[in-house]
């Protein structure tokens, strides 16, 4: 019996379902905050007196800390207990959300956003790793990750709509206040629904690895964000060079440390390695796609921010359809076939969008491509998550979840930096319209389709066939202790 199997003995039936709903709902809140303030930025600027440079940090502070701290957050969940780290992350996120809503000065809001990102980096990998261990079988894990992926997609696509509604009807502050009752509810339910306890194996924390890894991610994400905003200036180059140096030092330290933050052997499992690499391509394409479509709807088709958000809602419906298909195809065929189909169909949908001309309407030109790519993304996201945590156990499920989330955050930053810059080479997609902006949008969609095609080839040729997700036999000896530890607080 493996460590994962013993974990599922702690939570069964309706309690396990309730735990999945709770963790997914919190994840929805965390993903929502990636975009929920975007529509309200102009109001925030006028209310608090932000300058142009400072206003960007309302968005970037959250993105930066969330992406940079995921690795230590995921490892902390493995070492200190997943429920404890989840509760700490949700507590910090809720308190920071309240502080953001009450902010009276620009620095107060930006500080709150940094703290929100820190809380999210603790809660997100802890939550995903608990789902991974609660649902060990391939079929049931596919369904659980389908729920998780669907909720994440809804959070990403409805953030703009929620922000627009709250800002128009109430105040921009409610974009933050709305998180507080969700966080409080999660904290009240967590002790009743989530497995507790600490792992029996308590290795020492790899402090040098944590510092170097966090520093490398921080410098990398900062450099990519600067590239998207101001192009290649000296500060951008320094930040990316620093990321390269710190990353190399991180690899050297991890190779020589007895109990590293990221064991290199963990990345040697081929299905996980391919999943992480193709997740980078997947999120780079889809983050840029979402950003550029929203700009196209507003600048070329003349939609208001709220109208553009509403026009994007069919994307959420397509994602849910794809998630429904993903759960069934992964259970029957494993992760590789649905992933190949997802990447290929995504490429087709992006090529459809690349043919949109300036005079084309939304329903006849934009919507068909949006539907195709949304179904394909819903098909692929849960399968990628399952592949990324294949054979993870009580000792490293948090690490696997954190690596996937880190790759996704970096991929999003790469996509925004590279593809938006590419679109800008033809015209200004952020402020302008006309043929130049449409040509830039089309060029970015073609390159995004190339990303997805490359990912499809990598999956088809490098990823193993049907992959087990029931843990590694070698971990069986640790199962009784892990189960006893979980039962103690369950």
């Amino acid at each position: 019996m493996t460590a994962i199997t013993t974990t599922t003995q702690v939570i069964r039936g309706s309690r396990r379902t309730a735990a999945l709903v709770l963790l997914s709902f919190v994840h929805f809140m965390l993903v929502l905050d990636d975009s929920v303030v975007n529509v309200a930025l102009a109001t925030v600027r006028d209310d608090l007196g932000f300058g142009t440079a400072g206003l960007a940090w309302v968005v970037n502070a959250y993105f930066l800390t969330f992406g940079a701290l995921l690795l230590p957050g995921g490892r902390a969940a493995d070492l200190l207990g997943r429920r404890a780290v989840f509760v700490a992350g949700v507590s910090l996120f809720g308190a920071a959300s309240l502080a953001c809503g009450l902010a009276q000065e620009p620095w107060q809001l930006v500080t709150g956003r940094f703290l929100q990102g820190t809380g999210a980096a603790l809660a997100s990998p802890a939550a995903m790793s608990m789902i991974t261990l609660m649902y060990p079988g391939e079929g049931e894990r596919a369904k659980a990750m389908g729920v998780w992926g669907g909720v994440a997609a809804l959070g990403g696509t409805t953030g703009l709509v929620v922000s627009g509604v709250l800002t128009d009807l109430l105040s921009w502050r409610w974009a933050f206040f709305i998180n507080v009752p969700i966080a409080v509810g999660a904290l009240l339910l967590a002790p009743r629904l989530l497995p507790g306890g600490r792992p029996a194996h308590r290795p020492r924390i790899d402090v040098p690895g944590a510092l170097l890894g966090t520093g490398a991610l921080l410098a990398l994400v900062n450099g990519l964000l600067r590239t998207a905003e101001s192009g290649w200036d000296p500060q951008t180059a320094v930040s990316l060079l620093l990321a390269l140096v710190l990353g190399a030092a991180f690899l050297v330290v991890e190779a020589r440390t007895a109990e590293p933050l990221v064991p290199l052997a963990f990345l040697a499992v081929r299905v996980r390695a391919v999943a992480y690499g193709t997740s980078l391509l997947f999120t780079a394409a889809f983050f840029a796609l979402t950003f550029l479509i929203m700009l196209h709807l507003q600048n070329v088709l003349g939609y208001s921010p709220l109208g553009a958000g509403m026009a994007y809602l069919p994307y959420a419906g397509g994602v849910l359809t794809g998630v429904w298909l993903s759960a069934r195809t992964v259970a029957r065929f494993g992760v590789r076939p649905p992933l190949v189909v997802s990447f290929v169909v995504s490429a087709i949908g992006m090529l459809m969008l690349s043919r949109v001309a300036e005079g084309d309407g939304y329903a006849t030109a934009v919507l068909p491509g949006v539907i195709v790519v949304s179904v394909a993304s819903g098909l692929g996201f849960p399968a990628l998550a399952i592949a990324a945590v294949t054979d993870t156990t009580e000792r490293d499920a948090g690490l696997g979840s954190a690596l996937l989330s880190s790759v996704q955050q970096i991929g999003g930053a790469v996509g925004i930096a590279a593809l938006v810059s590419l679109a800008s080479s033809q015209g200004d997609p952020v402020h302008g319209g006309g043929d130049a902006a449409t040509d830039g949008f089309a060029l970015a969609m073609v390159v995004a389709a190339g990303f997805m095609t490359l990912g499809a080839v990598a999956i088809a040729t490098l990823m193993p066939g049907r992959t087990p997700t029931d843990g590694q036999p070698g971990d069986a000896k640790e199962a009784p202790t892990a189960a006893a530890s979980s039962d103690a607080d369950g």
Side-chain angles (χ1 to χ4, degrees):
M1 184 179 294
T2 67
I4 294 180
T5 302
T6 59
T7 301
T8 60
Q9 292 173 348
V10 181
I11 301 181
R12 294 195 186 102
S14 59
R15 183 185 170 196
R16 186 170 67 161
T17 302
L20 173 62
V21 172
L22 170 63
L23 294 171
S24 298
F25 204 62
V26 170
H27 189 53
F28 174 86
M29 175 181 69
L30 302 180
V31 174
L32 191 73
D33 260 59
D34 266 334
S35 59
V36 75
V37 298
N38 287 354
V39 173
L41 285 177
T43 308
V44 172
R45 178 195 59 207
D46 296 338
D47 197 5
L48 297 185
F50 270 96
T52 302
L55 191 64
W57 281 103
V58 177
V59 176
N60 291 350
Y62 183 78
F63 203 98
L64 194 63
T65 48
F66 192 2
L69 297 177
L70 277 164
L71 277 181
R75 206 61 181 131
D78 288 333
L79 301 180
L80 304 177
R82 293 175 183 83
R83 189 176 72 187
V85 172
F86 174 80
V87 167
V90 172
S91 299
L92 180 58
F93 185 88
S97 296
L98 180 61
C100 287
L102 296 174
Q104 300 299 316
E105 299 289 340
W107 70 266
Q108 294 171 345
L109 181 56
V110 172
T111 300
R113 291 290 281 170
F114 273 112
L115 294 175
Q116 274 190 311
T118 303
L122 293 172
S124 179
M128 184 179 174
S129 61
M130 280 189 276
I131 293 176
T132 299
L133 297 174
M134 287 191 299
Y135 292 88
E138 193 172 73
E140 62 179 6
R141 181 176 289 180
K143 292 178 181 178
M145 287 298 180
V147 173
W148 177 265
V151 165
L154 285 175
T157 56
T158 59
L160 296 173
V161 180
V162 170
S163 179
V165 170
L166 291 175
T167 302
D168 286 348
L169 298 182
L170 297 171
S171 163
W172 62 266
R173 297 180 185 277
W174 280 95
F176 299 106
F177 287 150
I178 195 174
N179 295 327
V180 177
I182 299 174
V184 170
L187 293 174
L188 292 175
L189 292 172
R192 299 174 178 271
L193 298 179
L194 303 180
R198 295 182 177 182
H201 180 69
R202 298 290 304 282
R204 67 179 183 85
I205 297 176
D206 176 20
V207 175
L211 292 175
L212 289 170
T214 300
L217 287 173
L218 193 67
L220 175 60
V221 175
N222 181 63
L224 292 171
L225 290 173
R226 286 191 58 84
T227 302
E229 291 171 7
S230 55
W232 288 90
D233 58 18
Q235 292 184 39
T236 299
V238 169
S239 186
L240 294 177
L241 180 61
L242 179 61
L244 183 63
V245 172
L246 292 176
F250 173 76
L251 292 176
V252 171
V253 168
E254 297 302 276
R256 297 179 179 181
T257 301
E259 294 182 292
L261 180 72
V262 182
L264 299 185
F266 184 88
L267 300 175
V269 178
R270 190 159 45 130
V271 63
R272 293 200 293 252
V274 176
Y276 297 138
T278 53
S279 289
L280 184 72
L281 297 171
F282 186 90
T283 51
F286 277 102
F287 267 65
L289 172 82
T290 302
F291 186 84
L292 290 170
I293 285 180
M294 294 303 297
L295 292 177
H296 184 83
L297 291 174
Q298 294 178 66
N299 296 335
V300 178
L301 299 184
Y303 283 46
S304 67
L306 180 56
M310 297 298 291
Y312 206 67
L313 282 179
Y315 188 96
V319 167
L320 292 177
T321 302
V323 165
W324 181 84
L325 292 171
S326 183
R328 284 149 182 79
T329 54
V330 169
R332 184 171 182 179
F333 302 108
V335 294
R336 187 171 65 180
L339 280 176
V340 171
V341 172
S342 168
F343 276 67
V344 170
V345 174
S346 295
I348 292 172
M350 290 168 185
L351 290 176
M352 291 171 60
L353 288 169
S354 74
R355 299 179 63 83
V356 174
E358 182 186 0
D360 291 340
Y362 168 74
T364 57
V366 179
L367 184 58
V370 166
I371 295 296
V372 171
V373 296
S374 65
V375 174
S377 69
L379 178 63
F381 184 82
L384 279 172
I386 293 167
V389 296
T390 294
D391 286 339
T392 55
T393 69
E394 289 280 358
R395 297 180 64 173
D396 54 19
L399 173 61
S401 302
L403 280 170
L404 175 63
S405 298
S406 295
V407 165
Q408 290 170 342
Q409 292 292 107
I410 293 170
V414 168
I416 295 294
L419 296 185
V420 174
S421 297
L422 188 64
S424 299
S425 69
Q426 303 296 309
D428 184 0
V430 177
H431 303 104
D435 289 338
T438 304
D439 291 344
F441 173 79
L443 178 59
M445 290 300 98
V446 170
V447 175
F451 285 177
M452 301 309 289
T453 302
L454 179 61
V457 172
I459 292 166
T461 57
L462 299 177
M463 183 173 283
R466 193 175 187 93
T467 55
T469 55
D470 294 327
Q472 298 175 5
D475 295 316
K477 60 186 179 182
E478 299 178 50
T481 308
S485 176
S486 295
D487 275 320
D489 291 75

